[in-house]
Amino acid sequence: MNEIEDLFPRGGENAAYAKYFLGKSYLNMLSLEGVVIGNVTFEPGCRNNWHVHHAKSGGGQILLCTAGYGWYQEWGKPARKLAPGDVVNIPAGVKHWHGAAKDSWFAHVAVEVPGEDCSNEWLEIVDDEQYEKLA
Amino acid sequence: MNEIEDLFPRGGENAAYAKYFLGKSYLNMLSLEGVVIGNVTFEPGCRNNWHVHHAKSGGGQILLCTAGYGWYQEWGKPARKLAPGDVVNIPAGVKHWHGAAKDSWFAHVAVEVPGEDCSNEWLEIVDDEQYEKLA
């Protein structure tokens, strides 16, 4: 199992969003002023459900990968393997998920892009059949 | 001399801003859409001039420290030593500087907080007398 060294403090269990994740994740808010920024750490195999960041204008999320290995996938596209130093720009309106590789912890910083009337729509899980295919 | 392992790619020499820095720095833009994010790497002893991020509303900058050791100082306050995992929220209108420690490379991600009528005002250098006092 690929352990990681935390760059930003891991924080506590991501209880507020646990119902939208398979597996255990940890959330530490790095900034609540100006731009909302959180550090998210996923245990091996942990991933969030398919979801969409909605906004009337602006919105979406930028991921800055800091440790371990993970995945990002947009609906209808092949999954992209993520490693430290990778950056993912997730536009508003795009159905996607992200999470750890099955054999590695994973951490990314999530930068919330400010927007008008922002909301998140949480959808179906990334089931084992989809997830086990990734390599 | 404290070498660092880059987390985000170092990018090329920060030529556009070189006139506002003492010493050599490197700039790699990580995001130009949604929120502007750049990775800045400072050689040992390198620091930027005192400066102010102005904005009619919003604005300012958030620093996410990723590697090595550096300093952040606001005008009239003691300097704060920075290490990997540290976060600095720089409000608009505050005169400040940041840069590397004298014996260490330093890298931080700079997240530009969106705002109205944003501009940067570059001021005097952090002279050797001020800088050599830091410890």
Side-chain angles (χ1 to χ4, degrees):
Chain A
M1 205 58 74
N2 192 346
E3 273 292 337
I4 54 172
E5 198 184 336
D6 290 332
L7 173 58
F8 298 101
R10 188 169 293 198
E13 262 193 61
N14 189 1
Y17 291 86
K19 59 181 176 289
Y20 308 124
F21 281 62
L22 284 181
K24 207 171 277 186
S25 67
Y26 300 82
L27 177 64
N28 179 27
M29 296 313 295
L30 302 180
S31 168
L32 294 168
E33 276 181 273
V35 175
V36 173
I37 304 174
N39 184 49
V40 187
T41 306
F42 304 77
E43 68 174 358
C46 174
R47 66 268 192 187
N48 51 32
N49 293 3
W50 289 97
H51 61 287
V52 181
H53 305 293
H54 290 287
K56 207 167 134 189
S57 66
Q61 209 176 45
I62 299 165
L63 308 181
L64 307 175
C65 302
T66 58
Y69 295 92
W71 294 101
Y72 169 71
Q73 187 171 26
E74 297 184 357
W75 188 253
K77 295 190 183 172
R80 173 180 163 196
K81 183 96 190 244
L82 298 177
D86 285 344
V87 176
V88 181
N89 199 313
I90 309 171
V94 170
K95 181 174 170 178
H96 68 282
W97 68 272
H98 35 118
K102 63 182 162 187
D103 57 355
S104 177
W105 284 79
F106 177 55
H108 66 56
V109 169
V111 177
E112 308 289 341
V113 178
E116 205 184 344
D117 293 344
C118 291
S119 65
N120 293 329
E121 183 185 8
W122 291 96
L123 302 163
E124 69 270 31
I125 62 167
V126 177
D127 65 28
D128 286 345
E129 197 188 323
Q130 295 174 289
Y131 185 76
E132 294 296 333
K133 273 186 212 154
L134 304 172
Chain B
M1 204 58 74
N2 193 344
E3 273 292 338
I4 55 171
E5 198 184 337
D6 291 332
L7 173 58
F8 299 100
R10 188 169 293 200
E13 261 193 61
N14 188 0
Y17 291 85
K19 59 180 176 291
Y20 308 123
F21 282 63
L22 282 181
K24 208 172 275 185
S25 68
Y26 300 83
L27 177 63
N28 179 28
M29 296 312 295
L30 302 180
S31 168
L32 294 169
E33 277 181 273
V35 175
V36 172
I37 304 174
N39 184 47
V40 186
T41 305
F42 304 77
E43 67 174 358
C46 174
R47 66 269 192 186
N48 52 31
N49 293 3
W50 289 98
H51 61 287
V52 181
H53 305 293
H54 290 288
K56 206 166 133 188
S57 66
Q61 208 175 46
I62 299 164
L63 308 181
L64 308 174
C65 303
T66 57
Y69 295 92
W71 294 101
Y72 169 72
Q73 188 171 24
E74 297 184 356
W75 188 255
K77 295 190 184 172
R80 174 181 163 196
K81 183 95 190 247
L82 298 177
D86 285 343
V87 176
V88 181
N89 199 312
I90 309 171
V94 171
K95 182 173 169 178
H96 69 282
W97 69 271
H98 34 118
K102 64 182 164 188
D103 57 354
S104 177
W105 285 79
F106 177 56
H108 66 56
V109 169
V111 177
E112 308 288 341
V113 178
E116 205 183 343
D117 294 343
C118 291
S119 66
N120 293 329
E121 182 185 8
W122 290 96
L123 301 163
E124 69 271 31
I125 61 167
V126 178
D127 64 30
D128 286 344
E129 197 189 322
Q130 295 176 289
Y131 185 76
E132 294 296 333
K133 273 187 214 153
L134 305 171

